[in-house]
């Protein structure tokens, strides 16, 4: 049996008719940049997430950078970022000129640890070198971060809360009153990625920013297209009136078409299907001594960008990966290195973080194949081979 880590071919077989139709429509119209599909997608996703504005852009990395730039984050600012995440979450604050301050994560959900966050904020305040400005809270592996605790800290210290929902799109958080908040509607501003392997992926690079703030939305649109004058879009020459520095970060029309073609299946079928896969994994792995399965907290719904286990103490991870690969099962390690020891931050204030949980996780985590099209038999096969390898 050959298993795909994320089976995009099987997905294509399922969505082919709709996606092909959209692609053909874009190619026929030859409206490759800023075609009508882009606006339609933005409206569809804004409605789904429950925010006023969705601003599409070229990828999830640009989305974070644009969101930070729109809020004036830059030189002299401290931005608090989990130590256990994809590089972009910390790279983007750094490219604005701010200093990422890495914060430890929780062992069970892999998401930002509120206690570690508060300790890091206090340390920065006491040093009086940087101004605490923002928190990049990541919905890691598909599950929203600890919303009430992180929000309360942001309010207490007057920090911008940026939700990095690159992996969380489609997930949700239900608050104590029973109100459901979709991922990418949780922060003051939120971002996502449409990288092909993400919960909602396109056929190339893509990303989006979500905000309820009209002014910030205009600023994001402006920054994403060379700082053009977005206040006067009715003026045909506004496009060439550049009132600030920005970048070239558009979602192209073909990718918007692909996402429109996939969206309904994502919302109505894939999220349930991937949750079924995760539940089956967790129940089949529950009897493995010392192995930790991912925990989804009460009120949280995950979009399962990854299914990440922690191997028992002393397990030889490399040997397990090798044995599983020989059985046709790909595995990955997200993430093998804490952010604060990445070479890019060497010798900077960012490298001074103390994050023992992240360090331990980087040594013990293993991501198993997961996607909505994995069959029960395939899940059983992966589990049987993993148990054998252990
Ligand atoms: C948590 C997180 N943030 C940001 C990104 C960046 O997204 P992109 O690859 O679309 O730039 C990723 C992508 O892997 C991610 O996982």
């Amino acid at each position: 049996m050959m298993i795909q880590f994320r089976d995009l071919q099987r997905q294509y077989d399922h969505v082919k008719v709709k996606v092909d139709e959209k692609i053909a429509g874009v190619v026929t119209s030859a409206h490759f940049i800023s075609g009508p599909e882009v606006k339609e997608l933005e409206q569809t996703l804004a409605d789904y997430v429950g925010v006023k504005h969705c601003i599409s852009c070229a990828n999830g990395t640009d989305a974070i950078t644009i969101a930070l730039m729109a809020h004036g984050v830059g030189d002299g600012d401290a931005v608090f970022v989990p130590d256990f995440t994809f590089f972009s979450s910390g790279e983007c604050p750094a490219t604005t000129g701010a200093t990422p301050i890495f914060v430890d994560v929780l062992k069970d959900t892999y998401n930002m640890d509120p206690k570690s966050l508060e300790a890091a904020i206090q340390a920065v305040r006491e040093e009086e070198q940087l101004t605490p400005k923002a928190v990049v809270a990541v919905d890691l592996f598909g599950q929203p971060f600890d919303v009430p605790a992180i929000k309360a800290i942001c309010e207490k210290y007057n920090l911008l809360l940026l939700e990095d929902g690159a992996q969380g799109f489609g997930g949700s958080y239900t608050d104590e009153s029973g109100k459901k908040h979709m991922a990418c509607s949780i922060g003051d501003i939120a971002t996502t990625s449409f990288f092909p392997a993400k919960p909602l992926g396109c056929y190339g690079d893509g990303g989006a920013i979500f905000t309820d703030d009209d002014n910030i939305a205009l600023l994001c649109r402006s920054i994403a297209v060379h700082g053009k004058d977005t206040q006067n879009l009715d003026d045909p020459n506004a496009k060439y009136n550049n009132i600030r520095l920005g970048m070239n970060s558009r979602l192209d029309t073909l990718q918007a078409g692909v996402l429109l073609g996939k969206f309904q299946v994502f919302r109505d079928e894939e999220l349930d299907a991937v949750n079924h896969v995760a539940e089956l994994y967790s129940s089949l792995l529950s009897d493995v001594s010392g192995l930790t399965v991912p925990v989804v907290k009460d009120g949280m719904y995950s979009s399962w960008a990854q299914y990440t286990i922690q191997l028992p103490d002393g397990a030889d991870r490399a040997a397990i990966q090798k044995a599983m690969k020989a059985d046709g099962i790909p595995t990955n390690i997200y993430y093998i290195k804490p952010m604060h020891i990445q070479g890019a931050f060497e010798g900077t204030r960012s490298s001074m973080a103390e994050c023992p949980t992240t360090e331990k996780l980087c040594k013990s985590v293993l991501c198993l194949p997961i996607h909505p099209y994995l069959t029960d038999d395939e899940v059983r096969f992966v589990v049987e081979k993993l148990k054998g390898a252990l």
Side-chain angles (χ1 to χ4, degrees), residues 59-61 64 85-86 88-89 138 164 166-167 193 198 206 335:
N59 54 66
T61 305
I64 301 172
T85 181
F86 181 67
S88 298
S89 317
V138 180
D164 176 356
Q167 302 183 14
S193 163
K198 291 286 189 271
Y335 294 93

Side-chain angles (χ1 to χ4, degrees), residues 1-4 10 324-330 374-382 384-385:
M1 205 182 273
M2 284 297 286
I3 309 257
Q4 298 290 320
R10 224 179 257 183
M324 292 182 75
K325 191 174 174 199
D327 285 318
I329 303 168
L374 206 60
T375 65
D376 288 6
D377 281 349
E378 287 171 328
V379 174
R380 286 195 189 92
F381 179 71
V382 173
E384 180 198 318
K385 296 299 173 188

Side-chain angles (χ1 to χ4, degrees), residues 248-287:
N248 177 14
S249 185
R250 289 175 295 229
L251 180 75
D252 64 62
T253 318
L254 271 173
Q255 299 306 342
V258 169
L259 289 164
L260 283 169
K262 286 170 98 179
F263 178 70
Q264 208 179 335
V265 165
F266 167 76
R267 184 193 58 197
D268 299 342
E269 298 175 35
E270 291 184 346
L271 286 168
D272 283 348
V274 81
N275 270 276
H276 167 78
V277 171
E279 275 164 30
L280 185 57
Y281 264 137
S282 293
S283 78
L284 294 172
L285 287 168
S286 62
D287 61 348

Side-chain angles (χ1 to χ4, degrees), residues 40-288:
E40 188 187 339
L41 176 78
E42 291 181 341
Q43 193 58 55
T44 303
L45 299 187
D47 292 347
Y48 173 65
V49 162
V51 297
K52 221 164 149 189
H53 305 281
C54 166
I55 302 104
S56 60
C57 63
N59 54 66
T61 305
D62 285 359
I64 301 172
T65 305
I66 294 167
L68 292 170
M69 285 169 74
H71 283 92
V73 175
D75 274 352
D77 293 332
V79 178
F80 300 88
V81 178
D83 201 33
F84 192 61
T85 181
F86 181 67
F87 192 61
S88 298
S89 317
E91 177 188 31
C92 300
T95 54
T96 68
T99 302
I101 302 291
F102 296 112
V103 168
D104 213 355
V105 296
L106 297 163
K107 188 179 179 297
D108 53 356
T109 62
Y110 309 118
N111 273 327
M112 186 179 256
D113 178 353
K115 285 204 182 81
S116 180
L117 171 62
E118 190 149 21
I121 295 168
Q122 276 161 1
V124 168
R125 279 161 63 107
E126 276 161 27
E127 288 164 20
E128 294 183 355
Q129 300 290 320
L130 298 165
T131 310
K133 190 74 178 261
V135 171
V136 174
V138 180
D139 299 333
L140 201 74
F141 303 147
Q143 175 173 207
F145 56 90
D146 182 345
V147 181
I150 302 289
K151 260 196 165 167
I153 293 171
C154 288
E155 276 161 23
K156 181 170 167 189
Y157 295 98
N158 195 22
L159 303 176
L160 170 79
L161 176 54
L162 188 158
E163 178 189 3
D164 176 356
Q167 302 183 14
F169 196 79
S172 65
Y173 153 70
T174 302
D175 68 22
E176 279 189 337
S177 72
K179 184 165 185 252
K180 185 168 153 183
H181 307 259
M182 293 303 289
C184 292
S185 75
I186 295 169
D188 298 314
I189 189 158
T191 59
T192 197
S193 163
F194 304 124
F195 184 81
K198 291 286 189 271
L200 177 62
C202 59
Y203 290 168
D205 276 309
I209 304 155
F210 298 87
T211 177
D212 277 323
D213 187 314
D214 298 344
N215 286 330
I216 292 289
L218 276 178
L219 266 173
C220 290
R221 284 204 186 283
S222 170
I223 294 166
V225 188
H226 306 290
K228 76 174 176 184
D229 183 0
T230 39
Q231 306 282 354
N232 299 300
L233 280 179
D234 292 340
D235 171 0
N237 292 320
K239 203 166 145 188
Y240 300 107
N241 187 22
N242 304 88
I243 57 175
R244 59 179 62 82
L245 294 178
M247 54 174 88
N248 177 14
S249 185
R250 289 175 295 229
L251 180 75
D252 64 62
T253 318
L254 271 173
Q255 299 306 342
V258 169
L259 289 164
L260 283 169
K262 286 170 98 179
F263 178 70
Q264 208 179 335
V265 165
F266 167 76
R267 184 193 58 197
D268 299 342
E269 298 175 35
E270 291 184 346
L271 286 168
D272 283 348
V274 81
N275 270 276
H276 167 78
V277 171
E279 275 164 30
L280 185 57
Y281 264 137
S282 293
S283 78
L284 294 172
L285 287 168
S286 62
D287 61 348
V288 183

